[in-house]
Amino acid sequence: MVSLTTPVCDFGWKAPDFSLPGVDGKRWTLQDAMGPNGLLVMFICNHCPYVKAIRPRLVRDLAELKRDHGIHAIAIMSNDPTDYAEDSFDNMQRVAAEFDFPFPYVIDETQAVAKAYGAVCTPDFFGFNRDLELQYRGRFDESRKETAPEGVRRDLFEAMKGIAATQRGPAEQIPSMGCSIKWKEA
Protein backbone atom coordinates (compact mmCIF):
# COMPACT_ATOMS: atom_id res chain seq x y z
CA MET A 1 0.00 0.00 0.00
CA VAL A 2 1.36 3.40 -1.00
CA SER A 3 0.42 6.44 1.09
CA LEU A 4 0.19 9.73 -0.79
CA THR A 5 -0.72 13.32 0.06
CA THR A 6 -2.84 15.61 -2.06
CA PRO A 7 -1.52 18.70 -3.87
CA VAL A 8 -2.16 22.24 -2.66
CA CYS A 9 -5.59 23.73 -3.44
CA ASP A 10 -5.80 25.37 -6.87
CA PHE A 11 -8.28 28.08 -5.86
CA GLY A 12 -10.90 28.82 -8.54
CA TRP A 13 -10.24 25.65 -10.59
CA LYS A 14 -13.56 24.62 -12.16
CA ALA A 15 -15.10 21.22 -11.40
CA PRO A 16 -15.18 18.89 -14.43
CA ASP A 17 -18.62 17.44 -15.14
CA PHE A 18 -19.36 13.72 -15.05
CA SER A 19 -22.20 11.22 -15.36
CA LEU A 20 -21.68 8.15 -13.20
CA PRO A 21 -23.87 5.27 -11.99
CA GLY A 22 -24.76 5.30 -8.32
CA VAL A 23 -25.44 2.50 -5.88
CA ASP A 24 -29.02 3.85 -5.73
CA GLY A 25 -29.64 2.91 -9.40
CA LYS A 26 -29.48 6.53 -10.66
CA ARG A 27 -26.90 8.25 -12.84
CA TRP A 28 -25.39 11.26 -11.12
CA THR A 29 -23.97 14.41 -12.69
CA LEU A 30 -22.23 17.37 -11.10
CA GLN A 31 -25.46 19.41 -11.25
CA ASP A 32 -27.55 16.57 -9.77
CA ALA A 33 -25.24 16.41 -6.75
CA MET A 34 -24.87 20.18 -6.29
CA GLY A 35 -26.12 21.89 -3.14
CA PRO A 36 -27.37 25.48 -2.92
CA ASN A 37 -24.10 26.64 -1.29
CA GLY A 38 -21.56 24.24 -2.73
CA LEU A 39 -20.47 20.68 -3.34
CA LEU A 40 -17.91 18.33 -1.88
CA VAL A 41 -16.61 15.83 -4.43
CA MET A 42 -14.68 13.09 -2.68
CA PHE A 43 -12.81 10.06 -3.91
CA ILE A 44 -13.18 7.19 -1.45
CA CYS A 45 -13.33 3.41 -1.50
CA ASN A 46 -14.35 0.59 0.82
CA HIS A 47 -11.04 -1.12 1.61
CA CYS A 48 -8.76 1.82 2.47
CA PRO A 49 -7.87 2.06 6.19
CA TYR A 50 -7.69 5.89 5.90
CA VAL A 51 -11.32 5.96 4.70
CA LYS A 52 -12.46 3.39 7.28
CA ALA A 53 -10.90 5.51 10.05
CA ILE A 54 -13.14 8.49 9.22
CA ARG A 55 -16.29 6.88 7.78
CA PRO A 56 -18.63 7.39 10.80
CA ARG A 57 -17.48 11.00 11.27
CA LEU A 58 -17.68 11.63 7.52
CA VAL A 59 -21.33 10.54 7.51
CA ARG A 60 -22.03 12.71 10.58
CA ASP A 61 -20.32 15.81 9.16
CA LEU A 62 -21.78 15.56 5.67
CA ALA A 63 -25.30 15.06 6.99
CA GLU A 64 -24.86 18.23 9.07
CA LEU A 65 -23.37 20.21 6.17
CA LYS A 66 -26.31 19.21 3.97
CA ARG A 67 -28.99 19.86 6.59
CA ASP A 68 -27.66 23.08 8.11
CA HIS A 69 -25.39 24.68 5.50
CA GLY A 70 -26.60 23.76 1.99
CA ILE A 71 -23.41 21.86 1.13
CA HIS A 72 -24.08 18.58 -0.65
CA ALA A 73 -21.57 15.83 -1.37
CA ILE A 74 -20.91 12.97 -3.76
CA ALA A 75 -18.52 10.06 -3.19
CA ILE A 76 -16.73 8.57 -6.20
CA MET A 77 -15.05 5.16 -6.13
CA SER A 78 -12.42 5.06 -8.87
CA ASN A 79 -10.28 2.10 -7.80
CA ASP A 80 -9.87 -0.92 -10.06
CA PRO A 81 -11.75 -3.57 -8.04
CA THR A 82 -9.95 -6.41 -9.87
CA ASP A 83 -7.41 -6.84 -7.06
CA TYR A 84 -9.61 -5.29 -4.35
CA ALA A 85 -12.89 -7.21 -4.22
CA GLU A 86 -13.96 -5.10 -1.23
CA ASP A 87 -14.30 -2.17 -3.68
CA SER A 88 -16.77 -3.98 -5.97
CA PHE A 89 -20.07 -2.31 -6.87
CA ASP A 90 -22.00 -4.84 -4.75
CA ASN A 91 -19.81 -4.00 -1.76
CA MET A 92 -20.24 -0.28 -2.46
CA GLN A 93 -24.01 -0.81 -2.17
CA ARG A 94 -23.54 -2.75 1.08
CA VAL A 95 -21.27 -0.10 2.66
CA ALA A 96 -23.54 2.79 1.61
CA ALA A 97 -26.53 1.04 3.21
CA GLU A 98 -24.62 -0.05 6.33
CA PHE A 99 -23.37 3.48 7.07
CA ASP A 100 -26.52 5.22 5.73
CA PHE A 101 -24.55 7.52 3.43
CA PRO A 102 -26.29 10.93 3.20
CA PHE A 103 -24.73 11.42 -0.25
CA PRO A 104 -24.66 9.53 -3.56
CA TYR A 105 -21.96 6.85 -3.89
CA VAL A 106 -20.97 6.37 -7.54
CA ILE A 107 -18.48 4.27 -9.47
CA ASP A 108 -15.95 5.64 -11.96
CA GLU A 109 -15.29 2.41 -13.86
CA THR A 110 -13.15 4.02 -16.58
CA GLN A 111 -11.25 6.11 -14.03
CA ALA A 112 -11.70 9.10 -16.37
CA VAL A 113 -13.27 11.24 -13.64
CA ALA A 114 -10.43 10.56 -11.18
CA LYS A 115 -7.97 11.55 -13.90
CA ALA A 116 -9.94 14.71 -14.80
CA TYR A 117 -9.89 15.78 -11.14
CA GLY A 118 -6.29 14.77 -10.58
CA ALA A 119 -7.32 12.55 -7.67
CA VAL A 120 -4.34 10.81 -6.12
CA CYS A 121 -5.56 8.99 -3.02
CA THR A 122 -8.47 7.83 -0.92
CA PRO A 123 -9.76 9.93 0.65
CA ASP A 124 -9.22 12.91 -1.64
CA PHE A 125 -11.54 15.89 -1.04
CA PHE A 126 -12.48 18.65 -3.48
CA GLY A 127 -14.63 21.39 -1.91
CA PHE A 128 -16.38 23.67 -4.40
CA ASN A 129 -18.41 26.84 -3.87
CA ARG A 130 -21.79 27.45 -5.55
CA ASP A 131 -20.00 28.51 -8.76
CA LEU A 132 -18.18 25.13 -8.76
CA GLU A 133 -14.83 26.83 -8.12
CA LEU A 134 -12.40 24.82 -6.01
CA GLN A 135 -11.96 26.27 -2.52
CA TYR A 136 -10.74 23.29 -0.48
CA ARG A 137 -8.33 20.41 -1.13
CA GLY A 138 -7.36 19.29 2.33
CA ARG A 139 -7.72 16.63 4.95
CA PHE A 140 -10.80 15.49 6.84
CA ASP A 141 -9.15 15.84 10.25
CA GLU A 142 -6.04 14.54 12.04
CA SER A 143 -7.03 10.90 11.41
CA ARG A 144 -4.67 8.70 9.48
CA LYS A 145 -5.06 4.90 9.48
CA GLU A 146 -6.51 5.25 12.98
CA THR A 147 -9.34 7.52 13.97
CA ALA A 148 -8.13 10.71 15.64
CA PRO A 149 -9.29 11.35 19.23
CA GLU A 150 -12.66 13.01 19.78
CA GLY A 151 -12.48 16.78 19.88
CA VAL A 152 -9.84 17.34 17.17
CA ARG A 153 -10.40 20.14 14.70
CA ARG A 154 -12.91 19.16 12.01
CA ASP A 155 -10.83 20.58 9.12
CA LEU A 156 -13.14 19.54 6.26
CA PHE A 157 -16.32 20.44 8.13
CA GLU A 158 -15.05 23.88 9.14
CA ALA A 159 -13.74 24.60 5.63
CA MET A 160 -17.02 23.62 3.95
CA LYS A 161 -19.07 25.54 6.53
CA GLY A 162 -16.96 28.60 5.72
CA ILE A 163 -17.45 28.05 1.99
CA ALA A 164 -21.21 27.87 2.56
CA ALA A 165 -21.11 31.22 4.37
CA THR A 166 -18.54 33.16 2.31
CA GLN A 167 -17.98 31.10 -0.87
CA ARG A 168 -14.24 31.16 -0.06
CA GLY A 169 -12.08 28.41 1.37
CA PRO A 170 -9.46 28.80 4.10
CA ALA A 171 -6.05 30.09 3.03
CA GLU A 172 -4.30 27.47 5.16
CA GLN A 173 -5.09 23.85 4.26
CA ILE A 174 -3.41 20.64 5.40
CA PRO A 175 -3.24 18.03 2.61
CA SER A 176 -5.26 14.85 2.84
CA MET A 177 -3.33 11.60 3.14
CA GLY A 178 -4.45 8.17 2.04
CA CYS A 179 -3.96 5.07 -0.07
CA SER A 180 -3.05 5.59 -3.70
CA ILE A 181 -5.81 5.25 -6.28
CA LYS A 182 -5.65 1.70 -7.66
CA TRP A 183 -5.20 2.44 -11.37
CA LYS A 184 -6.01 -0.11 -14.05
CA GLU A 185 -3.06 -1.49 -15.93
CA ALA A 186 -2.65 0.19 -19.31
Side-chain angles (χ1 to χ4, degrees), residues 48-57 143-148:
C48 174
Y50 292 91
V51 174
K52 287 179 176 181
I54 64 168
R55 207 161 34 200
R57 290 180 182 176
S143 299
R144 293 293 184 239
K145 291 182 190 174
E146 296 80 30
T147 307

Side-chain angles (χ1 to χ4, degrees), residues 156-173:
L156 175 76
F157 179 83
E158 293 299 330
M160 295 309 296
K161 191 169 101 174
I163 292 167
T166 68
Q167 295 300 295
R168 303 256 331 130
E172 298 292 319
Q173 300 181 13

Side-chain angles (χ1 to χ4, degrees), residues 1-4 47-48 79 120-122 178-183:
M1 172 177 49
V2 175
S3 294
L4 297 174
H47 87 273
C48 174
N79 280 350
V120 295
C121 60
T122 56
C179 299
S180 62
I181 300 272
K182 307 309 181 229
W183 300 107

Side-chain angles (χ1 to χ4, degrees), residues 3-4 6 11 33 37-38 69 75 98 108 116 124-125 159 164 167 172:
S3 294
L4 297 174
T6 56
F11 285 95
N37 289 322
H69 303 285
E98 178 184 340
D108 176 21
D124 199 345
F125 299 105
Q167 295 300 295
E172 298 292 319

Side-chain angles (χ1 to χ4, degrees), residues 13-15 19 25 28 36 39 41 59 63 83 85 110 133 142 144 162 178:
W13 178 77
K14 293 293 242 175
S19 176
W28 286 88
L39 176 66
V41 175
V59 168
D83 294 328
T110 67
E133 298 167 335
E142 292 177 20
R144 293 293 184 239

Side-chain angles (χ1 to χ4, degrees), residues 15-179:
D17 202 0
F18 52 77
S19 176
L20 296 170
V23 299
D24 58 1
K26 293 174 47 179
R27 282 197 82 79
W28 286 88
T29 66
L30 203 57
Q31 286 304 320
D32 294 334
M34 185 66 185
N37 289 322
L39 176 66
L40 177 69
V41 175
M42 58 188 154
F43 291 84
I44 67 170
C45 68
N46 300 333
H47 87 273
C48 174
Y50 292 91
V51 174
K52 287 179 176 181
I54 64 168
R55 207 161 34 200
R57 290 180 182 176
L58 184 69
V59 168
R60 173 201 69 195
D61 286 0
L62 295 180
E64 187 176 337
L65 285 168
K66 183 177 184 178
R67 180 185 66 241
D68 298 341
H69 303 285
I71 296 285
H72 292 190
I74 188 165
I76 301 173
M77 202 298 291
S78 296
N79 280 350
D80 179 1
T82 304
D83 294 328
Y84 296 88
E86 200 175 339
D87 290 341
S88 72
F89 192 74
D90 288 343
N91 283 325
M92 288 173 61
Q93 291 174 312
R94 181 187 55 74
V95 167
E98 178 184 340
F99 287 90
D100 196 21
F101 282 179
F103 45 80
Y105 194 18
V106 300
I107 190 164
D108 176 21
E109 291 178 284
T110 67
Q111 301 183 316
V113 177
K115 289 175 182 166
Y117 276 75
V120 295
C121 60
T122 56
D124 199 345
F125 299 105
F126 295 78
F128 296 96
N129 63 19
R130 71 173 64 99
D131 294 324
L132 290 171
E133 298 167 335
L134 187 64
Q135 297 295 315
Y136 188 72
R137 179 99 187 261
R139 69 182 185 179
F140 179 76
D141 66 11
E142 292 177 20
S143 299
R144 293 293 184 239
K145 291 182 190 174
E146 296 80 30
T147 307
E150 283 296 327
V152 299
R153 178 172 166 73
R154 295 161 70 186
D155 298 76
L156 175 76
F157 179 83
E158 293 299 330
M160 295 309 296
K161 191 169 101 174
I163 292 167
T166 68
Q167 295 300 295
R168 303 256 331 130
E172 298 292 319
Q173 300 181 13
I174 300 169
S176 184
M177 176 185 279
C179 299

